[in-house]
Structure formats: structure tokens, C-alpha cells
């Protein structure tokens, strides 16, 4: 089922697969896991296997039914490049993306090596923005090099949950960076200087910067509900989107 999203940088979600397995520290308090268990308990179609990776071909055609141009986040409840999703199924997802040319599709993975393998010798459709999660130095930062290998119109980083100072990043051929702190009951804190460093690097490199949220911890280092911590960094919001005329 495609649903309207509360995620600040997208409009709708489309989950042609659901479920996943954890691969790195950013997965520790995975929102999708908690949500999948809840949906399973409620008997929601598609979640009969809880958080186990499940391919849902009956959802493939959903974006084709919607005529209004829409920004879709693909697989908010899964990872399209999970090792249990065959390349033949990923081909089907991209066939729909190509056909649904009125929409924009944001695809984000932590399985960057598998994504780079999938795209070897292929170009991503122009309406597909391709991204990787970058939560830390050890697991997140190396994904950026995999992403750079992909021939895509828009390549982006989701630096969320930002778990540490990720240091100097190579932002060459990256078009958009989203930064956010972790939310949820067990959220780990983010420091302002970690986010500021990434913002400054984006500015130097001419990369669009989007500050999504503080999450569960505020700029003052206090834990409270996400909505009270807001999404201002240094007294303002940062909502840049990638330049659609960017060339590869
Ligand atoms: S890759 Fe994403 S969906 Fe999968 S477990 Fe990690 S955070 Fe959750």
C-alpha cells in the first residue's frame, strides 16, 4: 500500500518489499522493525511475516495508478538491495519507475555494494534518486564511494541517525545531503557540531543540504519528544533540495 509520509523530505512511501535484517549501528533501533511488528499484530496485509524480508509483487503497480506527480520514498519499511531480493525483482521495480515517469522515486540503501553491483553497466532512470545511509565512519562513510560508482542523475546521502562526527567527507558527485538525529524511545544523541560540520562541507562543495530533525535529543543536550526539539540548526531551517538540472 502506498501511503502519505510524515518524512520531511518525501511525499509518499511505496513498499514493494517489506522487512529487513540489521547490518550496521544505524539499524539498532530500526523504526521499520517496530512498525512492522505493530502492523503484524494489527493484521495489516503485507505484514503477515512481521519484519521478515517479504517480496510483495501485488504492490508493484501502485505508483502507476497515481497520476498526480508525486515524490515517492521507495521501501521505507525495507531495503530494496537486501540480499534476499533477487535482481530480477529489482528489475521489475525499476520497470515501474521508468513507466511512472510523472513521479520521482527516492531509493535509499545500506547495502551499497549490492546496489553498485546491480547498477554495473546500467544507468539509473532519470526520475530515480539514488542514495546511501551514512550513520558513522566505519560503516556509513565507505558507502559513499559505492554510491559514486552509480550512473544516476541525483545521488544523495541520508546522514541519519548521525551517531558521531563523520569527519571530512568526499562529496564529489554527490547532489544532496540530509542530516538528522535519531528519534524514538532509545534515541542516541547528536551533537550540533557534527551536523554543522556536514552543513559547512556541503556549502563548500556546492551540495544541497537538508536538516531533517534533531530527533529525541535537543540542541541543548536534553532528551524530550521529537516535536519539541524541532528542526532548526543555528536558528534556521535548512530545506535545500537537489538541483534537478544536475548532470552526471
Ligand atoms: S537497513 Fe534500514 S530497514 Fe533494514 S534494518 Fe537497517 S534501518 Fe532497518
Amino acid at each position: 500500500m502506498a501511503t502519505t509520509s510524515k518524512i520531511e523530505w518525501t511525499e509518499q512511501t511505496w513498499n514493494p518489499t517489506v522487512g529487513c535484517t540489521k547490518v550496521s549501528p544505524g539499524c539498532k533501533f530500526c523504526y521499520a522493525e517496530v512498525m512492522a511488528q505493530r502492523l503484524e499484530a494489527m493484521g495489516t496485509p503485507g505484514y503477515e511475516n512481521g519484519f521478515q524480508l517479504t517480496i510483495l509483487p501485488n504492490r508493484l503497480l501502485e505508483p502507476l495508478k497515481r497520476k498526480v506527480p508525486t515524490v515517492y520514498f521507495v521501501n521505507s519499511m525495507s531495503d530494496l538491495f537486501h540480499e534476499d531480493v533477487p535482481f530480477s525483482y529489482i528489475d521489475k521495480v525499476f520497470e515501474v519507475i521508468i513507466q511512472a515517469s510523472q513521479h520521482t522515486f527516492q531509493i535509499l540503501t545500506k547495502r551499497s555494494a549490492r546496489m553498485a553491483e546491480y547498477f554495473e553497466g546500467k544507468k539509473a532512470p532519470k526520475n530515480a534518486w539514488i542514495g546511501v545511509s551514512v550513520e558513522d565512519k566505519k560503516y556509513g562513510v565507505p558507502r559513499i564511494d559505492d554510491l559514486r560508482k552509480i550512473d544516476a542523475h541525483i545521488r544523495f546521502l541520508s546522514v541519519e541517525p548521525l551517531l558521531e562526527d563523520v569527519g571530512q567527507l568526499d562529496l564529489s558527485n554527490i547532489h544532496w545531503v540530509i542530516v538528522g538525529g535519531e528519534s524514538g524511545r532509545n534515541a542516541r544523541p547528536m551533537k550540533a557540531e557534527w551536523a554543522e560540520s556536514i552543513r559547512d562541507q556541503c556549502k563548500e562543495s556546492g551540495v544541497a543540504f537538508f536538516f531533517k530533525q534533531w530527533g529525541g535529543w535537543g540542541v541543548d543536550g536534553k532528551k524530550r519528544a521529537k516535536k519539541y526539539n524541532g528542526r532548526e540548526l543555528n536558528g534556521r531551517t535548512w530545506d535545500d533540495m537537489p538541483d534537478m538540472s544536475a548532470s552526471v
Side-chain angles (χ1 to χ4, degrees):
M1 184 178 56
T3 45
T4 306
S5 176
K6 286 185 189 151
I7 301 168
E8 289 79 355
W9 45 265
T10 199
E11 291 174 349
Q12 291 263 326
T13 55
W14 171 43
N15 285 282
T17 75
V18 295
C20 198
T21 45
K22 300 186 180 193
V23 284
S24 62
C27 299
K28 191 170 181 186
F29 302 118
C30 174
Y31 162 89
E33 181 183 29
V34 177
M35 186 57 79
Q37 286 160 354
R38 203 174 294 164
L39 293 169
E40 181 187 14
M42 286 160 59
T44 307
Y47 293 91
E48 292 81 0
N49 303 323
F51 195 50
Q52 246 180 62
L53 196 286
T54 306
I55 289 171
L56 296 169
N58 60 323
R59 293 185 175 185
L60 272 174
L61 302 182
E62 283 170 1
L64 295 175
K65 295 176 193 151
R66 189 173 168 91
K67 300 293 168 229
V68 184
T70 299
V71 180
Y72 278 98
F73 178 31
V74 181
N75 278 356
S76 60
M77 296 294 290
S78 185
D79 187 334
L80 184 62
F81 292 95
H82 189 284
E83 41 287 357
D84 292 345
V85 184
F87 280 175
S88 56
Y89 188 72
I90 300 174
D91 283 344
K92 288 186 179 150
V93 170
F94 277 101
E95 279 162 24
V96 172
I97 290 174
I98 291 166
Q99 279 182 57
S101 58
Q102 71 274 30
H103 303 316
T104 299
F105 294 87
Q106 298 161 323
I107 297 153
L108 181 63
T109 190
K110 285 191 175 70
R111 273 96 174 166
S112 56
R114 190 158 189 258
M115 180 165 76
E117 189 192 333
Y118 175 78
F119 278 112
E120 247 176 53
K122 284 193 196 93
K123 195 173 162 61
K126 199 170 175 186
N127 60 333
W129 299 6
I130 307 294
V132 294
S133 300
V134 182
E135 74 268 42
D136 67 1
K137 274 187 184 168
K138 185 175 172 188
Y139 293 89
V141 173
R143 294 181 187 130
I144 306 173
D145 287 333
D146 288 331
L147 176 64
R148 229 188 311 275
K149 290 179 199 155
I150 297 172
D151 190 353
H153 194 61
I154 300 288
R155 284 177 287 267
F156 72 100
L157 311 182
S158 170
V159 187
E160 187 198 357
L162 178 52
L163 298 177
E164 63 177 355
D165 178 4
V166 288
Q168 197 63 36
L169 299 173
D170 177 358
L171 294 175
S172 55
N173 294 314
I174 300 299
H175 305 100
W176 189 36
V177 174
I178 303 158
V179 169
E182 193 163 39
S183 48
R185 203 156 32 105
N186 299 304
R188 292 159 282 184
M190 174 180 71
K191 291 203 174 137
E193 55 264 36
W194 304 345
E196 286 162 2
S197 163
I198 297 168
R199 181 210 46 208
D200 293 348
Q201 291 181 56
C202 285
K203 204 169 171 191
E204 277 162 31
S205 309
V207 175
F209 176 77
F210 190 104
F211 186 68
K212 180 173 173 248
Q213 60 177 35
W214 275 98
W217 295 79
V219 63
D220 56 359
K222 292 201 174 127
K223 198 172 183 193
R224 57 175 81 76
K226 167 183 152 166
K227 66 178 176 188
Y228 298 116
N229 290 325
R231 47 184 305 271
E232 285 191 357
L233 181 65
N234 302 140
R236 55 159 285 196
T237 51
W238 303 81
D239 294 324
D240 289 352
M241 297 299 281
D243 178 4
M244 292 300 291
S245 62
S247 58
V248 288

